[in-house]
Amino acid sequence: MKKVVKFGGSSLANAEQFRKVKEIITADPARVYVVPSAPGKRSSNDEKVTDLLYKSYELSEKGESIDEILGVIKARYDEIIEGLGLDVSLDEEFEIIKTNYSNKAGVAYAASRGEYLNGVLLAKYLGFPFIDAADVICFNEDDSFNAEKTDAKLQTKLREFDKAVIPGFYGSNSDGFIRTFSRGGSDITGSIVAGAINANIYENWTDVSGFMIADPRIVKNPASIKAITYRELRELSYMGATVLHEDAIFPVRKQGIPINIRNTNCPTDEGTLIVENTCRPSEYIITGIAGKKGFVAINIEKDMMNSEIGFGRKVLEAFEKYGISFEHTPSGIDTFSVLVHQPEFEGREQEVLSELHRSVNPDSVELQTDLALIAVVGRGMRSNHGVAASIFVALAKQGINIRMIDQGSSELNIIFGVKNSDYENAIKAVYDVFITNPSDLLKF
Ligand code: ASP
């Protein structure tokens, strides 16, 4: 049994958190490969070391002094070293960092030092070997991730070590330059390591006990999700769930390795298990609700549109031409709507509209702005009738007008659009009917 365990920034923000992490790792001998983030916030008004590193590099690029900010960053690590009574000094490491900054090592190099240094300290504290991610996580020339090369390197390297700490977030390209994933990317590193060694499970330790059914900023104390499939999570994550980096799913999904989201501050909580498939029925009919504000619908009308072959393609091409991705395309017999992110669309609005006029010669084009999209997701919806009816009755009871409806062909989700200003109330209404008062669900 081999587990890969990734600890997020808040789990490694200070010495006290490091102690919790060590306890978790030593509690289970299967927890052999450890992927740390950089120190995160110690309190809500604190700064993440990664953010400080980005700032420091910016200052260095402007030719301003970086002594003070590097001092602040070093103090974060020194606090951990002292708190744990480690016999290490990072003086030399910081000298190297300064030299590399002046040699223009790049912003990715700067950002990566957060994970690198935390990895050095964690390895020392656990008594595990340290493997520099620059030696095993490979990027291509165009900065994309090179999965094949990475898997080969990781497999060879990890055969040498039963246990190891491998910092998250970064790797290097074939020229030896440091490259990083996007923000939150240590989740991806953990998943890559788990995939490469075919781990039994990838544990992702953070500061919440897994995914909540709905955003806790909207629904008070929402219930947590015990088990969710990768597909359900994809449906929810693209709408804005933030616990796990979206791209962290792919390396483990290929091999059916489950991800377990766990809480470092509450290690006895089971957290959320993300799996390829499960026969565990979800506790409720729906697994989760997520959404996002800030969409605009471009509603195109044209008589006899349905018999005009290529109409949809031409419409979508107008968006493609200006680099705007679409979210949904609900259509009627003579109408075709395209839903896109409003901020993305605003800058190119007039160009897209004139392109549409040129290419499909519509009778009218109308814009519906300030829409929010909400996805209600759940594998339990497939086997239950009346789910959509219950959602829409719940919304109607709150006086919320539905602007658009789209049910994915997988029957895994129902997506609807409401006014931005109805967003929170709509989520609350759906949560209440399925989770708080399921006895209010319509019976047929
Ligand atoms: N430290 C990096 C960030 O703040 C990566 C990570 O924590 O996953 O984005």
Side-chain angles (χ1 to χ4, degrees):
M1 176 82 144
K2 276 190 178 149
K3 296 183 179 178
V4 172
V5 285
K6 180 259 168 178
F7 290 89
S10 58
S11 301
L12 291 164
N14 57 24
E16 193 193 333
Q17 292 300 87
F18 265 67
R19 276 196 206 95
K20 292 183 193 168
V21 165
K22 185 172 187 175
E23 235 167 76
I24 291 166
I25 293 168
T26 47
D28 183 349
R31 293 183 176 131
V32 284
Y33 297 122
V34 185
V35 176
S37 275
K41 294 183 179 188
R42 292 160 295 184
S43 61
S44 55
N45 49 10
D46 198 9
E47 276 194 281
K48 290 181 174 190
V49 163
T50 310
D51 290 327
L52 293 170
L53 285 163
Y54 278 117
K55 272 191 205 160
S56 68
Y57 198 72
E58 217 180 288
L59 290 176
S60 149
E61 285 290 86
K62 284 190 206 148
E64 289 176 31
S65 164
I66 51 169
D67 290 345
E68 192 184 327
I69 191 156
L70 286 187
V72 173
I73 296 167
K74 186 162 185 293
R76 291 287 309 264
Y77 291 105
D78 285 343
E79 185 192 306
I80 295 169
I81 293 171
E82 274 158 38
L84 300 176
L86 294 177
D87 180 21
V88 206
S89 161
L90 296 179
D91 292 352
E92 218 174 287
E93 293 283 4
F94 273 86
E95 283 312 312
I96 297 174
I97 292 174
K98 261 197 211 165
T99 314
N100 286 336
Y101 272 28
S102 49
N103 292 338
K104 307 240 173 283
V107 64
Y109 166 81
S112 74
R113 295 305 86 186
E115 272 68 14
Y116 169 81
L117 295 171
N118 232 17
V120 168
L121 296 189
L122 186 61
K124 178 90 181 167
Y125 181 50
L126 295 173
F128 281 23
F130 172 79
I131 296 175
D132 190 345
D135 299 334
V136 283
I137 304 288
C138 309
F139 285 79
N140 295 311
E141 289 316 296
D142 63 358
D143 287 357
S144 59
F145 170 61
N146 186 329
E148 258 172 54
K149 201 167 159 195
T150 300
D151 274 356
K153 283 212 172 192
L154 267 174
Q155 282 158 5
T156 314
K157 193 78 175 176
L158 296 184
R159 244 179 256 132
E160 290 171 40
F161 299 100
D162 293 344
K163 298 175 165 192
V165 171
I166 309 139
F169 191 38
Y170 72 93
S172 65
N173 67 16
S174 51
D175 292 333
F177 287 109
I178 297 288
R179 292 289 171 261
T180 60
F181 295 110
S182 56
R183 295 300 304 266
S186 297
D187 287 343
I188 308 174
T189 310
S191 179
I192 291 166
V193 175
I197 62 144
N198 214 339
N200 298 80
I201 193 161
Y202 168 33
E203 289 181 349
N204 190 297
W205 291 81
T206 174
D207 53 5
V208 289
S209 295
F211 292 100
M212 307 282 144
I213 290 180
D215 186 339
R217 287 166 301 187
I218 299 173
V219 173
K220 228 175 162 190
N221 292 324
S224 63
I225 301 175
K226 301 269 181 294
I228 184 168
T229 64
Y230 289 127
R231 285 178 66 196
E232 287 175 306
L233 186 62
R234 281 289 295 151
E235 297 288 352
L236 289 171
S237 70
Y238 106 104
M239 300 291 282
T242 50
V243 177
L244 183 75
H245 194 297
E246 267 192 87
D247 295 343
I249 291 178
F250 304 108
V252 283
R253 182 177 182 175
K254 271 197 298 200
Q255 306 186 46
I257 302 167
I259 305 176
N260 191 189
I261 308 288
R262 300 285 295 266
N263 188 347
T264 302
N265 304 320
C266 240
T268 48
D269 284 357
E270 278 174 41
T272 300
L273 196 62
I274 311 166
V275 290
E276 177 64 39
N277 240 318
T278 176
C279 54
R280 271 164 78 167
S282 52
E283 230 171 311
Y284 306 98
I285 294 176
I286 62 166
T287 305
I289 314 163
K292 232 186 209 169
K293 289 183 182 179
F295 290 91
V296 55
I298 297 94
N299 300 326
I300 302 157
E301 252 191 80
K302 187 177 183 186
D303 277 346
M304 304 303 289
M305 162 194 304
N306 66 325
S307 56
E308 197 176 318
I309 291 172
F311 190 91
R313 175 182 51 78
K314 287 182 210 153
V315 167
L316 294 178
E317 260 173 10
F319 289 86
E320 185 183 353
K321 189 167 169 190
Y322 294 99
I324 296 166
S325 64
F326 71 92
E327 213 67 23
H328 294 282
T329 54
S331 63
I333 191 96
D334 285 334
T335 60
F336 191 94
S337 300
V338 183
L339 273 108
V340 298
H341 289 272
Q342 197 162 321
E344 211 179 301
F345 177 68
E346 269 165 4
R348 312 307 297 261
E349 176 191 87
Q350 292 310 316
E351 286 136 301
V352 176
L353 294 179
S354 26
E355 183 72 26
L356 283 172
H357 280 283
R358 269 196 303 274
S359 64
V360 294
N361 191 23
D363 295 338
S364 74
V365 179
E366 180 201 292
L367 301 181
Q368 217 177 355
T369 56
D370 303 312
L371 292 176
L373 291 179
I374 296 172
V376 183
V377 175
R379 57 192 182 280
M381 293 186 343
R382 275 194 196 137
S383 42
N384 279 288
H385 58 276
V387 178
S390 295
I391 294 174
F392 300 139
V393 169
L395 295 174
K397 278 190 185 162
Q398 296 300 317
I400 296 171
N401 182 28
I402 301 168
R403 301 292 187 91
M404 177 219 98
I405 302 169
D406 189 357
Q407 172 161 28
S409 44
S410 58
E411 254 191 87
L412 204 62
N413 59 11
I414 294 173
I415 293 173
F416 57 89
V418 297
K419 275 194 304 208
N420 274 346
S421 54
D422 283 331
Y423 174 70
E424 284 84 4
N425 283 339
I427 289 189
K428 278 190 209 145
V430 176
Y431 184 89
D432 280 347
V433 70
F434 285 98
I435 316 294
T436 320
N437 305 308
S439 55
D440 286 356
L441 284 171
L442 300 172
K443 309 269 182 314
F444 298 95

